[in-house]
Amino acid sequence: MGTLPEPFAAWFAGRGWTPRAHQVALLRAAEAGESALLIAPTGGGKTLAGFLPSLIDLAARPRPGLHTLYVSPLKALAVDIARNLMAPVEEMGLPIRIETRTGDTPANRRARQRDDPPHLLLTTPESLLLLLSNPEAGTFFAGLGAVVVDEIHALAGTKRGDQLALGLARLASLAPAARRVGLSATVAHPEPLRAFLSPSGRAEDVRLVQVRGGAAPELSVQLPAGHLPWGGHMGLASAPEIYRKIREARVTIVFVNTRAQAELVFQALWKLNDDALPIALHHGSLTVEQRRKVEAAMAAGRLRAVVATASLDLGIDWGDVDQVIQVGAPKGVARLLQRVGRANHRMDEPSRAVLVPANRFEVIECAAALEAVRHEELDGDPPRPGGLDVLAQHLLAMACHAPFHPDDLYAEVTRAAPYAALPRRDFDDVLCFVEDGGYALRAYDRFRKLFRDAEGMVHVRDQRVARQLRMNLGTIVETPMIKVRLRGGPVLGEVEEWFVSTLEPGDNFMFAGQALRFEALDAMSAIVTRGGEGELRVPTYAGARLPLSTWLAARVREILHDPQKWRLLPGPVRDWLRLQGKRSMLPEKDGLLIETFPRGGRWFLVAYGFEGRLAHQTLGMLVTKRMERAGYAPMGYLATDYVLAAWSAFEPTEVESLFEEDILGEDLEEWMAESSMLRRTFRNIATIAGLIEKNHPGHEKRPRQMTMNSDLIYDVLRKHEPDHILLRATRQEAAGGLTDVARIGLVLARAKGRIRHLRLDRVSPLAVPALIEEGREWVAGGAEDALLAEAAALVEEVTGGEEIFAETLAEVTEGVRVRAGVVDKPRHRERHPRRNRFVRSAPKSVTGA
Amino acid sequence: MTPAPLHIAGERLMLDPAGLLAWPARRTLVVGDLHLEKGSAFARHGSLLPPYDTRETLARLHLALRRWRPARLVALGDSFHDAGGAGRLAAEDAQTLHRLLDGIEMLWVLGNHDPTPPEGLPGTALEEHRDGPLLFRHQAQRGPVKPGEVSGHFHPKGTMPTRCGGVTRPCFVADAWRVMLPAFGAYTGGLDAADPAIAGLFPRGARLFLLGKDRLYSLPMGPGRTRAATA
């Protein structure tokens, strides 16, 4: 063999292994002192490949000091990898010390690590920045030989990735000799990842080692035995089939798309679980201890199945998983493959996965995903520029580390790929913002955080500023959460604060796989008891639903349009499409099909855009605004991944003009500035940039005076300094992150001159799923004030101006029906069962919810 | 702007949709928690908020003064976010304030945030101000009071259910005995009027007047109805 030195060759031989080609390739890159990106499917010995050069180097030339830094997006992963590396190191008797450093590392161990660093240190992007902000970072990292970035595909393109890229750039200044190794799952576009990893920000400076996936995954689609649901996203109709599959396999991961769905699927499976199979639940809102318990049980082989959300997308390998079930449409091909790869972590055996679509459109989507996998066609977003808020945090951290000259730091920052194109003006404005707020009104000279000396070097004012930075470091802005605690018992997990605010004592909801009854709210947590009954609500979480990826959308359109491809679809779906062809027409591959039809005393307009729910939602807002101007009196609309449906009092006749392209310029700007989306973006940016203090989940709430509503700041700043760097950052992020606006542009451009408007006398088959969908938006008809006036008048009318009539009011408003909030709280994300009243009551079995 | 009349202790008061209370018979205008220099107070503690809050608050106050042309302005306390606030006023803002108060009798009721009189500003500082049947104080007194208490302090806001979800706005809270003003400052948040801290002061229920662009929107609040407070 001769590729590995002793004792490694013997160790490999002892297990009957031969070094794999990519492991050798990484070794060669290391010998040449080059950075390398390894792209391989899971199960390829990727992690060992990343560390092998470091282990060999240390075995040959033992020396004290930090040799290799490993960064992973998950704390648990760092801990697990450390454990896995221990085995070979001990078996070969290598003089190598391996330690982790995360938010959980006790202070005394951190202090010891600072004085006597281990050879291999495993950490997270946040802990890395903390280390870099220390004045001693220079000596700590001076001898660094290598940086290994794991799951790099999950970091690049996110704010955590921006932060890591800046951290790597600083590391390169402290330890210029350190080479970089990136480990990534299979991605569509490796170039941006190479650039992300590159010390120069240029892709060509990183060697690419790509492992073609071993055996192709075996994917199949499972339909429910009975009726194929028209709507719904939960996939509960297929619970018996899912259960049967679990029984037939050794260990199954059941992936779902949202935490609410996880709760419901878990519940449904346990109802069927006559064999008392050990089936567990895993999602991001359960307590860490609970999740660790489930993971440990899984690793020990004590579970037959776990129902999980994206919380298990990354992470620890469990060799025993032999089946993955994806319930609900996968929404993106790369994500599907990532999940499928969680089964059977051995490269030469195929992964086995079953897709369980929840409704008819999802059947088509699954067929499209299968086709895309067959053609090895992945989806992926293009890289976006690094966030200015992350840069602000970084600049302060660097000042805490040591005084810097702005010219040098600018040069360093632009060597990080996300900031390669950063204009100097933006850099300077961000620096001014960190110094004293950077406002045109120079009011805060006394309170500046940074000051410049005669040589132009930037210093941090005092230790208090450094302390404050360390408290607020990181780019994850938590939605305010409230703990759920059993009365007299343990904490079960957390739900979003707004969800608790909608609960009255005695309300029942489902959480952590149990039916719970809400009893009271104490200072820190929602107190619940077991055994809730009746109508159970399920907490939902912000941003839970991912939109359909552009790639998949195009494939769905292709399948719909081409009857040749219908052989991919099961019988009932084919019949459904045929019926659509007869009653109306099938959407064309290019162009935009719009149907209008009367139903229940109103007119419905359904546009088949296939550009994802977020895009359709924005489009709905814009189109209904135009409908209002045209006098059609729109009453509401609804967006799914596939269609936009709007309904109005009068028949929309000039349909083409509603979808003209200029809709974007004309209304969008105005809508954007006022939109809750921009306010949310501003809140995140202001928090990350350090303008407002972070929420520390689980910590005592600050006195009321200390928390500051970011909306008030947004309004004042927008009025008095609309060009402030934070507002520029907000607009930049909204425009860039708002791929759905780009996608609306796509729909409209495609439709130009090719709008097919069909006026039907009744609902078309393809429109049915949309009409039984939940989550409708109501047209605000002007503004909030109009709504207030209407509600006030209604109350007045019913009560004749009586003073005290809370009861009556409740009834009236019940009639008025409070629905999804356009304002204040993200209530529109909630799917309140009682609100189903709006849904032309489809039986539960049909909606699947 | 259409103000709404409110009768309390035999006096006719006008609730201004901008969040102020006018007493035409006595040519008095009353304003709730201004929290001037809240931005700079935060800046002292490391949060460099946009320093435009004082100027924004004064601009709003200027409009109200032009509308009502009062002889007397009563600020119900917490006029400055902290005791040193008046000293931190930017020269330009201090000038604006002097100009606004020119020819007006200014009464600074002291609050918990500003327990000492503001330095270098015109007007009189006092713990409470009584005028006829009306008593102006910072914080409403617990338990029964004589009709005619006017207070601030709690920053009440109310939520009106509409067919497009709840719309939340700062609001007046009033019953036959007392009226509570919303906070006026640009950086002042709010506390739900249904919170026990406020609702407890109105044991027989109250009427909320939510601030709108041009008018107020009235909403009854039942007695002792408390909900889980939302932040």
Side-chain angles (χ1 to χ4, degrees), chain A residues 435-437 439-441 443-444 446-447 449 464 468 497 501 521 691-693 705-706 708 712-713 716-717 719-721 778-780 784-785 787-792 802-806 809 813 816-825, chain B residues 38-40 42-53 55-56 88 113 154 160-169 186-189 191 204-207 210 212-215 217-223 225 227-231:
Chain A
E435 281 183 293
D436 64 358
Y439 301 104
L441 176 67
Y444 291 156
R446 270 167 296 180
F447 309 126
K449 294 184 177 181
R464 209 181 66 174
Q468 201 175 20
E497 187 176 289
S501 76
L521 188 70
L691 185 67
I692 47 183
E693 301 252 333
Q705 290 82 358
M706 284 309 292
M708 185 76 201
L712 298 171
I713 304 174
V716 167
L717 191 54
K719 182 161 168 201
H720 290 268
E721 199 174 337
W778 295 78
V779 174
E784 275 182 19
D785 272 68
L787 290 166
L788 283 171
E790 183 189 272
E802 244 180 281
E803 273 303 311
I804 307 301
F805 52 96
L809 178 73
T813 51
V816 176
R817 217 39 248 165
V818 182
R819 88 65 257 158
V822 233
V823 282
D824 292 325
K825 297 270 147 28
Chain B
K38 181 165 177 176
S40 59
F42 269 64
R44 273 177 59 197
H45 296 107
S47 295
L48 304 173
L49 299 184
Y52 304 108
D53 55 318
R55 132 173 349 192
E56 175 65 23
R88 290 197 309 273
H113 277 267
F154 286 103
M160 170 92 90
T162 77
R163 70 183 155 92
C164 277
V167 175
T168 301
R169 293 285 174 84
Y187 278 171
T188 50
L191 177 65
R204 302 196 203 180
R207 187 166 267 278
L210 272 61
K213 244 195 196 106
D214 304 309
R215 51 165 283 202
Y217 301 99
S218 156
L219 174 77
M221 178 173 77
R225 186 172 159 273
R227 283 188 313 133
T230 62

Side-chain angles (χ1 to χ4, degrees), chain A residues 332-354:
Chain A
V333 183
R335 192 162 87 116
L336 173 65
L337 281 184
Q338 169 90 11
R339 289 184 158 188
V340 170
R342 306 291 285 147
N344 205 350
H345 274 187
R346 271 175 290 270
M347 261 181 32
D348 16 22
E349 291 171 38
S351 307
R352 217 148 51 83
V354 185

Side-chain angles (χ1 to χ4, degrees), chain A residues 126-432:
Chain A
E126 290 76 20
S127 290
L128 172 61
L129 187 60
L130 271 177
L131 277 170
L132 287 172
S133 71
N134 271 325
E136 311 89 43
T139 42
F140 187 81
F141 289 109
L144 189 71
V147 187
V148 180
V149 182
D150 204 353
E151 310 268 17
I152 193 170
H153 60 285
L155 284 167
T158 68
K159 289 202 174 180
R160 292 182 83 201
D162 294 345
Q163 184 159 60
L164 177 61
L166 291 169
L168 290 176
R170 168 45 53 110
L171 270 181
S173 301
L174 298 178
R179 61 193 167 77
R180 300 178 188 175
V181 182
L183 308 176
S184 168
T186 315
V187 289
H189 314 290
E191 288 313 289
L193 284 191
R194 272 172 88 184
F196 179 86
L197 188 66
S198 170
S200 61
R202 283 189 306 270
E204 58 269 24
D205 291 335
V206 169
R207 207 185 271 199
L208 180 64
V209 180
Q210 217 160 354
V211 180
R212 291 280 158 211
E218 283 174 16
L219 299 178
S220 58
V221 173
Q222 173 72 52
L223 298 180
H227 174 73
L228 183 58
W230 287 91
H233 301 282
M234 296 300 178
L236 300 182
S238 298
E241 286 72 28
I242 299 172
Y243 181 67
R244 189 166 48 74
K245 292 261 173 204
I246 291 175
R247 227 173 35 195
E248 287 164 2
R250 271 191 325 247
V251 182
T252 305
I253 302 182
V254 181
F255 276 116
V256 297
N257 289 337
T258 63
R259 284 173 253 192
Q261 192 187 3
E263 295 277 354
L264 288 168
V265 168
F266 178 73
Q267 190 87 354
L269 288 176
W270 268 96
K271 272 194 193 136
L272 298 169
N273 195 354
D274 296 331
D275 308 297
L277 300 180
I279 300 175
L281 176 66
H282 192 285
H283 65 67
S285 290
L286 302 177
T287 59
V288 178
E289 299 81 55
Q290 238 176 326
R291 276 181 277 159
R292 295 292 161 268
K293 241 179 16 205
V294 171
E295 286 158 21
M298 195 75 175
R302 290 199 306 270
L303 290 181
R304 288 289 296 279
V306 53
V307 179
T309 60
S311 60
L312 278 192
D313 274 4
L314 300 177
I316 303 142
D317 289 3
W318 294 315
D320 286 341
V321 176
D322 59 341
Q323 168 174 268
V324 162
I325 299 180
Q326 162 70 37
V327 187
K331 299 295 166 202
V333 183
R335 192 162 87 116
L336 173 65
L337 281 184
Q338 169 90 11
R339 289 184 158 188
V340 170
R342 306 291 285 147
N344 205 350
H345 274 187
R346 271 175 290 270
M347 261 181 32
D348 16 22
E349 291 171 38
S351 307
R352 217 148 51 83
V354 185
L355 306 187
V356 182
N359 62 45
R360 291 166 181 239
F361 264 123
E362 289 195 356
V363 173
I364 304 176
E365 197 181 320
C366 286
L370 254 52
E371 265 218 306
V373 170
R374 224 179 350 261
H375 291 97
E376 297 189 355
E377 191 178 84
L378 300 180
D379 34 20
D381 292 324
R384 45 160 202 81
L388 297 178
D389 48 349
V390 182
L391 181 63
Q393 202 178 87
H394 183 74
L395 294 188
L396 186 56
M398 290 309 98
C400 293
H401 160 60
F404 61 78
H405 195 283
D407 293 350
D408 301 337
L409 192 55
Y410 174 70
E412 180 185 299
V413 161
T414 51
R415 282 195 288 272
Y419 297 91
L422 177 76
R424 179 65 196 245
R425 176 183 167 224
D426 283 358
F427 176 87
D428 287 336
D429 285 354
V430 171
L431 183 56
C432 286

Side-chain angles (χ1 to χ4, degrees), chain B residues 84-133:
Chain B
R88 290 197 309 273
L89 275 176
E92 199 188 326
D93 293 336
Q95 269 172 25
T96 308
L97 193 50
H98 277 280
R99 209 172 45 240
L100 287 185
L101 299 182
D102 191 34
I104 291 179
E105 184 194 356
M106 179 70 213
L107 299 179
W108 303 97
V109 173
L110 298 175
N112 51 314
H113 277 267
D114 53 352
T116 51
E119 270 168 53
L121 289 176
T124 319
L126 54 174
E127 289 292 333
E128 286 181 353
H129 168 58
R130 181 175 282 286
D131 191 354

Side-chain angles (χ1 to χ4, degrees), chain A residues 821-839:
Chain A
V822 233
V823 282
D824 292 325
K825 297 270 147 28
R827 285 191 194 158
H828 58 285
R829 295 199 197 90
E830 175 205 4
R831 299 159 143 222
H832 193 309
R834 268 180 282 177
R835 216 169 270 147
N836 283 0
R837 203 166 292 184
F838 271 133
V839 177

